[in-house]
Amino acid sequence: MKVVFMGTPDFSVPSLEALVNGGHQVAAVITQPDKPKGRGKEMQPTPVKAAAQAHGIPVWQPEKVKNNEELFAALKKIAPDVIVVIAFGQLLPREILELPPFGCINIHASLLPKYRGAAPIQWAIIDGEQETGITTMYMEEGLDTGDMLLKTVVPIEAEDTGGSLQEKLSRAGGPLILATLKGLEAGTLSRTPQTGDTCYARILEKSMGDIDWSKDAASIERLIRGLSPWPSAYSSLGGKTVKFWKASVISGEEEGEAQLPGTIVSVEKDHFTVQTGKGLLAVEALQLEGKKRMDAAAFLRGYPLKAGEAFTKKS
């Protein structure tokens, strides 16, 4: 097929590579404009742009796709069979959605209709889901509401973070879009409307990471994993911010009722425990404000903690 590909972050790159290596003609790539990064604020290409340029594919970077007559004229001139979209970052207007004969196909990182929206990977971990996946779907003017085509299920492991699960789902997108395009071309796929339970995975904000220690230990542990590597879960200790990178639940209902939530209950050689609203949380990797991430054993050698000290919300 002749394909126009729309995507921006690292998550989108394996699907672009799959289309190229799968023999499809990727006629153009549309991605977000370059942004300044690092201390020097030098302009950096998006990961999708870098990948497209490595294959010699023309790259367009419009500030907006809505009401963009120049972009629409260029797309009409290419006359793609299909437009493939994954983590692009803008909603598409009706005239683009209706342009390709095989439609605009989105690769979405959840098992729709659950977790529509901007951050489905992280919310699946935070909410304690046992599995997630990739769904290919027809795009329409609503947000992730179009008819579904194919799905791939990916289990969520106990150690998965937002980062590790994103990598797994990113790799799953390539084979699924190839199977989807093959089925569309052969006329063997059927459209499945989204019905039943749904939920919206709202965009991540830094304030989400401010740990509420009155919540149960299991919820806090999932928050730590879900918000790793960004925006991260954190708390305040002695006026300084501490980020939490790895923890485990020590107990459920039966222990830790005497201390106030956020209080350090015990300090061991390779971890320390914190009272929560229900159970104890063993902290195994963390990062003090202005310092590097380290495991708890290394942290405690440089910053000895004492039982009775307490973490508090920053806000």
Side-chain angles (χ1 to χ4, degrees):
M1 284 191 182
K2 183 189 290 187
V3 179
V4 167
F5 183 87
M6 304 177 75
T8 298
D10 287 315
F11 184 78
S12 310
V13 173
S15 294
L16 173 59
E17 297 286 353
L19 291 169
V20 172
N21 296 329
H24 292 280
Q25 178 191 350
V26 182
V29 162
I30 303 176
T31 187
Q32 297 282 60
D34 297 344
K35 292 184 178 180
K37 289 186 178 181
R39 292 183 179 179
K41 298 298 181 181
E42 294 184 6
M43 298 300 288
Q44 297 290 324
T46 70
V48 164
K49 178 180 180 179
Q53 289 178 326
H55 290 289
I57 302 171
V59 177
W60 305 339
Q61 295 179 276
E63 289 285 346
K64 61 177 183 177
V65 297
K66 191 174 182 179
N67 298 323
N68 189 327
E69 294 181 4
E70 182 180 355
L71 174 65
F72 184 61
L75 286 172
K76 285 182 68 176
K77 187 175 181 180
I78 287 178
D81 297 313
V82 67
I83 295 177
V84 173
V85 183
I86 173 171
F88 172 54
Q90 298 185 47
L91 294 176
L92 304 188
R94 178 180 294 275
E95 61 266 23
I96 292 179
L97 293 172
E98 295 177 347
L99 177 64
F102 286 97
C104 294
I105 306 301
N106 182 233
I107 306 168
H108 184 74
S110 80
L111 297 175
L112 292 171
K114 295 190 73 174
Y115 297 102
R116 297 169 179 164
I121 299 170
Q122 295 84 354
W123 280 107
I125 294 175
I126 293 169
D127 289 347
E129 299 287 346
Q130 299 299 304
E131 63 182 21
T132 184
I134 296 286
T135 304
T136 53
M137 54 174 285
Y138 283 104
M139 296 183 70
E140 57 183 30
E141 289 183 279
L143 181 60
D144 302 327
T145 57
D147 291 347
M148 301 176 292
L149 291 166
L150 294 177
K151 293 183 180 182
T152 292
V153 175
V154 175
I156 299 177
E157 306 295 339
E159 297 293 318
D160 268 327
T161 64
S164 68
L165 187 57
Q166 177 170 297
E167 185 175 344
K168 292 178 183 179
L169 293 170
S170 178
R171 292 197 303 265
L176 193 66
I177 190 59
L178 290 180
T180 300
L181 295 189
K182 182 178 180 180
L184 288 175
E185 199 166 23
T188 56
L189 292 186
S190 58
R191 306 171 67 124
T192 304
Q194 294 191 42
T195 57
D197 293 338
T198 186
C199 56
Y200 179 70
R202 70 180 187 273
I203 193 168
L204 301 180
E205 298 177 354
K206 288 185 178 181
S207 60
M208 287 175 49
D210 196 353
I211 296 174
D212 179 355
W213 294 101
S214 68
K215 292 187 175 181
D216 62 276
S219 296
I220 296 172
E221 189 273 337
R222 294 197 304 268
L223 182 75
I224 291 169
R225 287 190 293 116
L227 298 186
S228 173
W230 192 91
S232 75
Y234 59 89
S235 195
S236 180
L237 180 68
K240 291 188 176 182
T241 300
V242 177
K243 291 183 178 180
F244 295 83
W245 295 114
K246 186 178 180 182
S248 58
V249 179
I250 291 293
S251 58
E253 300 180 5
E254 68 279 4
E255 290 186 38
E257 297 295 337
Q259 302 283 356
L260 290 174
T263 303
I264 297 172
V265 175
S266 66
V267 180
E268 311 298 337
K269 183 178 180 180
D270 59 354
H271 71 276
F272 59 90
T273 62
V274 183
Q275 176 69 62
T276 73
K278 180 180 176 182
L280 301 177
L281 190 75
V283 178
E284 299 163 1
L286 65 163
Q287 182 177 0
L288 185 65
E289 181 180 331
K291 303 296 181 179
K292 294 182 178 179
R293 171 179 173 168
M294 60 186 74
D295 61 41
F299 179 90
L300 290 169
R301 287 194 293 269
Y303 305 93
L305 299 178
K306 296 180 180 179
E309 293 183 85
F311 290 97
T312 59
K313 283 176 64 70
K314 287 187 66 65
S315 59

